Amino acid sequence: QMCDKFTVCENSMEMLVRNNLNLPKVTEEDGCLLDKCLRKISSGLYMFQTYLAYVQETFSSEKQNIESLCYSTGHLARTLRQMVRNPNEVVIPDSAAQKSLRAKLRSDKTWIEKITTHLILRDFTSFMEKTVRAIRYLQNTRSFSV
């Protein structure tokens, strides 16, 4: 939808290459031992909430969908955190860190805001695809249910 509405996908390769956002990722190195995996995913989801709040501010034409996405992300992060042996090990950004990050993301150039929104949504999609794979793996190899 962003490509159609804002035409940011065709002429923005240099911005996509320069992606300097520090978005959460689930990597092969994380492995997927139950506790470690759930802790990493939950921490990533909490981090993405700040990025999704930015998307909500800048992608107003899809306000209802983004609100639903933010709510679901928060719910999943809390659910997975409760499943970790020591929930305090899940990294949750404090309000000062969230405020600082949102300030860094803002730009006075609409085009940069659109590209940033595109990058966040693209990486969130990738993160969620890997999360689904990891949870399916855990369900198939352990007595584990979400």
Side-chain angles (χ1 to χ4, degrees):
Q1 285 181 345
M2 284 198 61
C3 294
D4 295 337
K5 289 184 180 188
F6 304 120
T7 63
V8 295
C9 298
E10 297 167 13
N11 302 320
S12 56
M13 291 311 289
E14 68 278 355
M15 187 65 178
L16 296 176
V17 170
R18 273 191 16 203
N19 177 3
N20 59 356
L21 300 174
N22 190 19
L23 297 163
K25 297 197 181 343
V26 175
T27 64
E28 259 184 66
E29 294 81 42
D30 294 324
C32 221
L33 302 171
L34 182 61
D35 210 53
K36 181 181 179 185
C37 189
L38 294 179
R39 187 173 53 246
K40 175 74 176 184
I41 291 169
S42 185
S43 295
L45 290 169
Y46 277 111
M47 188 66 183
F48 261 114
Q49 284 188 297
T50 304
Y51 287 101
L52 292 173
Y54 169 82
V55 171
Q56 191 172 6
E57 293 169 11
T58 59
F59 199 20
S60 57
S61 64
E62 294 296 324
K63 184 177 178 161
Q64 196 169 18
N65 288 333
I66 301 297
E67 281 178 10
S68 175
L69 184 63
C70 290
Y71 174 80
S72 299
T73 300
H75 180 70
L76 183 57
R78 289 185 299 278
T79 301
L80 294 176
R81 183 174 183 246
Q82 291 171 353
M83 298 172 80
V84 174
R85 263 187 250 138
N86 185 358
N88 293 332
E89 291 179 352
V90 172
V91 177
I92 303 172
D94 62 23
S95 59
Q98 291 175 1
K99 193 175 186 178
S100 171
L101 177 58
R102 279 198 305 269
K104 286 179 189 174
L105 292 172
R106 284 194 187 90
S107 174
D108 57 351
K109 295 184 172 116
T110 307
W111 186 81
I112 290 175
E113 282 186 345
K114 290 173 184 174
I115 292 296
T116 301
T117 298
H118 174 76
L119 293 170
I120 291 168
L121 292 174
R122 183 193 68 185
D123 282 20
F124 181 73
T125 300
S126 175
F127 185 88
M128 290 308 298
E129 287 169 352
K130 290 174 182 157
T131 294
V132 168
R133 275 190 232 123
I135 290 176
R136 278 191 189 136
Y137 172 78
L138 291 171
Q139 285 178 317
N140 291 331
T141 59
R142 294 170 176 79
S143 57
F144 168 80
S145 63
V146 177

